Amino acid sequence: MWRLAEDTLCTAEIHALADWLKRGERLTQGEKIKQFERAWASWVGSADSVFVSSGTTANFALVACAAELVERDTPRVGVSAVTWSTNVSPSLLMGHEVVVFDVDPRTLGLDEAQVCAAIEADEIDILFVTHLLGLDALTPTILATAEEHGVIVLEDCCESHGARHGAAKVGTLGLGGTFSFYFGHHMSTIEGGAICTDDAAFADRLRLMRAHGLARESANPAAYAAQSPNVDPRFLFVATGLNFRSTELNAFLGLGQIPLLDERIETRNRNMQRFLAGAPSWLRTDFHTAGMSSFALPLIAHDAEGAARAREVTDALGIESRPVVAGNLMAHPFMQGPRVRVAAGGLPHAEAVHAFGHYVGNGHHVTDAMVDELCAALRA
Ligand SMILES: Cc1ncc(COP(=O)(O)O)c(C=O)c1O
């Protein structure tokens, strides 16, 4: 059976965790998490990283802290029409205005012309880019236009660990980038997520957000204590915060997974290239694969007939599949509301992905023979 994903945690890693647990060390956020954060930042190529409980809470913390830097009362956040719900729901929960952009069919990332027009017309304050299915969603023009107009760029890299934009890994190109370590992603900590950033003050703010807004989470608690001499510094709340912490167990597992990533990404990318070379012409194979870290194999047809045919083939082979993430997010009930609007030009490419696309899993469990069988059945 070709499943969507197999666990990236192996039995030896669980045994290692069990042995470590027998040492009776403290299990709430502590040294292992600090160690993981250093290792993750170093692997991604950022100055710092903050480990949290999921990709979703990473997204929440990132958007919440970035929104504090926006002067406007209601920050306007630009998002992709094809992404996971929790790229957008933090903004909706916080009362932001959301502007939804179409995707580029070759990258499944943002439509450059539409995004740049909106930035030039001063329609957004924050651009939350999603690198979907491990493809590089950014372009030099989007980055340059955002910088020129003071738009804060955030990256959702929850499906793109190790993907590159040019020489840099994604997650390092804006103010912050988020990652998910949920089962089925490039690596797993069971549940887990991280935010990477090069900005020390921003990392400090993220750590306050992660843990109740407590001053002691800051790198400089004494400075906060001096500003509030009437409050006991042991419980001094200096920022609005929630609880997005993870545990030492998850960090222990993550530390074991990082060294395995490069080889796994190579396997994923080899599978994706083999699939694109073998797929028939009625499926889209013109993806921009430079720098990718493939998450899944996309079967996006040019029309409804092709889409039905592709689905018949994967179902007949017993291959587990899913829509291309949420398809067009605007088709989902949670997006209906007065604070969401679609950018000028509409979402024709997102609608095509929604109507004609589905994906099958990629990972270390997918072999050349499995890819070849799928391609042969599609071509037959
Ligand atoms: C693009 C994207 N963002 C965010 C998330 C949320 O991550 P998590 O499941 O760890 O909350 C996912 C989950 O798959 C995702 O694909």
Side-chain angles (χ1 to χ4, degrees):
M1 167 92 181
W2 180 339
R3 283 210 282 255
L4 207 59
E6 299 287 344
D7 212 332
T8 51
L9 291 168
C10 68
T11 318
E13 286 169 286
I14 302 298
H15 287 168
L17 174 63
D19 289 342
W20 178 74
L21 282 171
K22 284 182 202 146
R23 287 163 48 179
E25 302 211 12
R26 173 189 158 152
L27 300 179
T28 54
Q29 183 178 294
E31 281 310 310
K32 283 277 167 226
I33 285 184
K34 284 190 189 147
Q35 214 181 317
F36 177 82
E37 290 178 338
R38 285 193 295 272
W40 184 248
S42 155
W43 189 82
V44 172
S46 61
D48 202 352
S49 87
V50 180
F51 188 50
V52 291
S53 54
S54 69
T56 295
T57 52
N59 280 354
F60 193 107
L62 178 61
V63 185
C65 295
E68 291 173 357
L69 306 174
V70 173
E71 280 173 17
R72 182 179 291 271
D73 283 347
T74 307
R76 302 160 306 171
V77 183
V79 300
S80 167
V82 184
T83 181
W84 191 247
S85 64
T86 58
N87 176 271
V88 185
S89 47
S91 281
L92 293 176
L93 287 167
M94 285 183 279
H96 302 161
E97 282 173 25
V98 171
V99 181
V100 183
F101 293 109
D102 202 9
V103 291
D104 177 329
R106 293 194 61 214
T107 63
L108 302 177
L110 295 167
D111 179 302
E112 181 184 278
Q114 207 182 41
V115 166
C116 291
I119 293 175
E120 279 157 8
D122 186 27
E123 291 178 17
I124 56 171
D125 307 296
I126 294 173
L127 182 63
F128 200 175
V129 175
T130 299
H131 299 281
L132 203 82
L133 303 190
L135 301 175
D136 170 18
L138 276 167
T139 69
T141 307
I142 293 177
L143 285 169
T145 310
E147 189 176 0
E148 189 190 335
H149 293 268
V151 167
I152 298 172
V153 174
L154 308 177
E155 296 174 272
D156 181 330
C157 315
C158 288
E159 301 183 1
S160 57
H161 314 56
R164 287 176 189 272
H165 174 80
K169 281 188 182 160
V170 301
T172 62
L173 296 148
L175 177 61
T178 59
F179 295 85
S180 166
F181 306 126
Y182 181 63
F183 170 85
H185 289 243
H186 297 63
M187 62 172 256
S188 169
T189 57
I190 307 176
E191 293 273 7
I195 308 133
C196 286
T197 185
D198 287 335
D199 183 319
F202 193 66
D204 211 59
R205 176 65 190 96
L206 289 167
R207 290 196 165 91
L208 296 178
M209 166 63 74
R210 171 177 68 179
H212 306 158
L214 277 166
R216 68 180 188 208
E217 297 295 321
S218 163
N220 194 359
Y224 284 117
Q227 285 163 19
S228 299
N230 296 331
V231 182
D232 185 328
R234 292 172 299 176
F235 277 165
L236 169 61
F237 300 97
V238 291
T240 45
L242 293 165
N243 181 353
F244 295 154
R245 289 180 308 224
S246 185
T247 73
E248 295 287 271
L249 280 75
N250 304 81
F252 181 95
L253 292 172
L255 282 164
Q257 294 267 291
I258 296 174
L260 310 173
L261 264 176
D262 288 335
E263 199 182 318
R264 287 189 181 151
I265 290 169
E266 251 176 59
T267 307
R268 284 172 172 272
N269 287 346
R270 210 175 41 243
N271 290 339
M272 174 73 164
Q273 295 292 12
R274 197 174 183 91
F275 168 71
L276 294 178
S281 59
W282 49 269
L283 283 180
R284 297 242 340 271
T285 55
D286 58 343
F287 297 103
H288 180 78
T289 55
M292 75 173 165
S293 171
S294 174
F295 177 73
L297 306 182
L299 285 81
I300 304 177
H302 296 293
D303 53 29
E305 191 194 336
R309 202 158 140 197
R311 184 67 193 272
E312 262 169 40
V313 169
T314 50
D315 285 355
L317 291 176
I319 303 175
E320 214 180 345
S321 70
R322 290 287 186 276
V324 179
V325 192
N328 176 9
L329 267 189
M330 290 308 293
H332 294 261
F334 88 102
M335 290 292 280
Q336 313 311 316
R339 282 184 286 105
V340 179
R341 77 172 179 84
V342 172
L347 308 172
H349 298 302
E351 282 163 13
V353 169
H354 189 92
F356 307 144
H358 74 300
Y359 75 66
V360 301
N362 190 6
H364 59 294
H365 63 297
V366 178
T367 62
D368 287 355
M370 289 157 77
V371 175
D372 291 348
E373 187 189 13
L374 170 62
C375 290
L378 289 165
R379 284 196 311 268

